[in-house]
Amino acid sequence: MKTPLMNIETITEYNDMLGVETLHPEVSMIDLSKARPMHHMRHTFSFYAIFLKDEKNCDLIYGRKRYDYQKGTVVCLAPRQVIGIEDTGEEFQPHGYALCFHPDLIRGTHLGRHIGEYSFFSYEVNEALHLSERERTTIVDLLEKIHEELEHAVDRMSRRLLVTGIEMVLDYCLRFYERQFITRQPANHDILTRFETLLNDYFTGDNARQNGLPTVKYCAGELCLSPNYFGDLIKQETGRTASEYIQQKIIEQAKERLLIPATSVSEVSYGLGFQYPQHFSRVFKRATGMTPNEYRNKTEA
């Protein structure tokens, strides 16, 4: 029988569960090897959490997927994301580090205004960041500086320095994810090829007419990736967003179909998945500088 899903509301509540001192109500940096032994559980947080796992001593279910931790793995969670596995009745000693910070800490700051740029908070667990030894050392050094600041007496610079420290951790995660995309280029090229095939197949037959325009979310799901990871991968590989890539494919298909004799603009529009021909005409003109009829007449002239 599954245990109820637990939501951990506050940093203090999480610290108490782990048996560590709360130095600040809105941010905590925890050396998990110094925490008390725990039981497994499925839970969510009401705050952001970054886990650097050092040892492969447990697996984890994040969302609906199981993932085996390897040394030097980073998983980032946004509030309300489900993490954990069912309680097996056995205790285990966690290892690694956890950086937790409440949205209230960053509200009104540069980080608060730009937190959405750190798209890895919405990656699936199988899209986690795997660090080299040097990268791991960099992250641990930054985490330890945050802990040093937490132990410092509170003054007017405390919040700024804490938020700056967290932002540096996130920026380095961005850098290391870019390295990971580059080192996985053969696999990424395979995904790009599958993406191209997926789009070609989508516009074959009545798929688009029945289901509408293909979306980034749909394509990511068909390729077994989260939308954010998929979007970042496509941008890294092509220099274009996934939405731009899909739109280019739509325009290429439109150009081919507009040159089929006796095919109306409306038929082309509906065949590509547009609900209204007017929408198709606006998208086509924005992309080519011509209306569909102008393109057809120019090409046939």
Side-chain angles (χ1 to χ4, degrees):
M1 180 177 178
K2 288 188 175 182
T3 56
L5 185 68
M6 173 186 292
N7 182 58
I8 302 171
E9 291 284 350
T10 66
I11 301 286
T12 300
E13 182 183 352
Y14 189 52
N15 288 340
D16 289 345
M17 286 178 56
L18 296 178
V20 298
E21 182 182 2
T22 297
L23 300 174
H24 191 292
E26 293 178 342
V27 58
S28 182
M29 202 296 286
I30 305 163
D31 181 343
L32 294 172
S33 66
K34 298 178 181 178
R36 66 162 61 110
M38 300 178 63
H39 285 273
H40 291 292
M41 61 179 174
R42 295 180 68 249
H43 60 282
T44 64
F45 297 115
S46 291
F47 43 84
Y48 293 92
I50 302 169
F51 291 97
L52 169 57
K53 193 66 180 179
D54 269 345
E55 301 295 339
K56 182 184 177 182
N57 67 340
C58 66
D59 55 10
L60 176 72
I61 292 177
Y62 174 42
R64 297 181 179 178
K65 296 186 179 179
R66 184 174 295 273
Y67 178 73
D68 290 328
Y69 270 136
Q70 303 290 338
K71 185 172 182 178
T73 297
V74 175
V75 174
C76 302
L77 306 174
R80 305 299 175 183
Q81 287 179 307
V82 178
I83 190 170
I85 63 176
E86 292 296 330
D87 186 1
T88 61
E90 298 181 3
E91 284 189 335
F92 71 97
Q93 178 61 55
H95 293 278
Y97 299 87
L99 173 62
C100 306
F101 60 97
H102 197 278
D104 288 346
L105 179 78
I106 63 174
R107 207 175 304 281
T109 68
H110 178 271
L111 176 57
R113 292 188 294 272
H114 295 271
I115 192 68
E117 295 177 8
Y118 301 101
S119 52
F120 48 74
F121 276 111
S122 297
Y123 287 179
E124 293 285 355
V125 71
N126 61 316
E127 299 157 350
L129 175 61
H130 302 283
L131 302 176
S132 68
E133 283 295 335
R134 178 175 294 182
E135 291 169 346
R136 179 193 171 279
T137 298
T138 297
I139 295 295
V140 171
D141 287 347
L142 292 171
L143 294 176
E144 289 178 346
K145 288 188 179 300
I146 291 173
H147 192 261
E148 288 176 11
E149 181 56 36
L150 286 169
E151 292 183 319
H152 192 281
V154 176
D155 57 30
R156 68 183 186 88
M157 296 298 296
S158 297
R159 181 170 182 248
R160 180 189 297 185
L161 290 170
L162 287 170
V163 172
T164 298
I166 293 169
E167 193 164 11
M168 285 192 68
V169 172
L170 298 181
D171 284 343
Y172 271 101
C173 286
L174 272 182
R175 168 180 281 181
F176 298 153
Y177 256 118
E178 288 184 4
R179 183 272 309 155
Q180 184 163 292
F181 281 128
I182 292 170
T183 56
R184 293 185 176 182
Q185 278 189 337
N188 294 346
H189 288 157
D190 177 62
I191 291 171
L192 189 58
T193 299
R194 289 164 54 206
F195 180 33
E196 181 74 17
T197 301
L198 175 67
L199 290 176
N200 288 335
D201 291 346
Y202 192 86
F203 291 111
T204 299
D206 289 334
N207 285 337
R209 186 185 297 272
Q210 294 176 358
N211 301 313
L213 296 169
T215 64
V216 173
K217 183 177 181 180
Y218 165 80
C219 294
E222 290 296 300
L223 297 171
C224 301
L225 298 170
S226 67
N228 277 359
Y229 187 89
F230 172 67
D232 290 344
L233 186 154
I234 296 301
K235 184 67 179 291
Q236 182 75 26
E237 288 294 308
T238 69
R240 289 173 286 165
T241 67
S243 294
E244 291 169 343
Y245 196 98
I246 292 170
Q247 180 169 301
Q248 182 183 38
K249 175 61 66 173
I250 292 170
I251 297 303
E252 290 173 358
Q253 290 282 329
K255 287 179 177 179
E256 292 182 10
R257 297 181 187 205
L258 285 169
L259 299 183
I260 298 174
T263 303
S264 69
V265 171
S266 292
E267 287 175 316
V268 172
S269 169
Y270 294 131
L272 291 172
F274 288 88
Q275 286 187 306
Y276 307 103
Q278 298 90 332
H279 182 205
F280 165 63
S281 295
R282 288 196 300 270
V283 170
F284 190 88
K285 184 171 184 179
R286 187 165 59 243
T288 66
M290 294 178 282
T291 66
N293 279 323
E294 288 171 343
Y295 173 80
R296 170 176 275 169
N297 294 335
K298 178 182 177 181
T299 306
E300 291 176 348

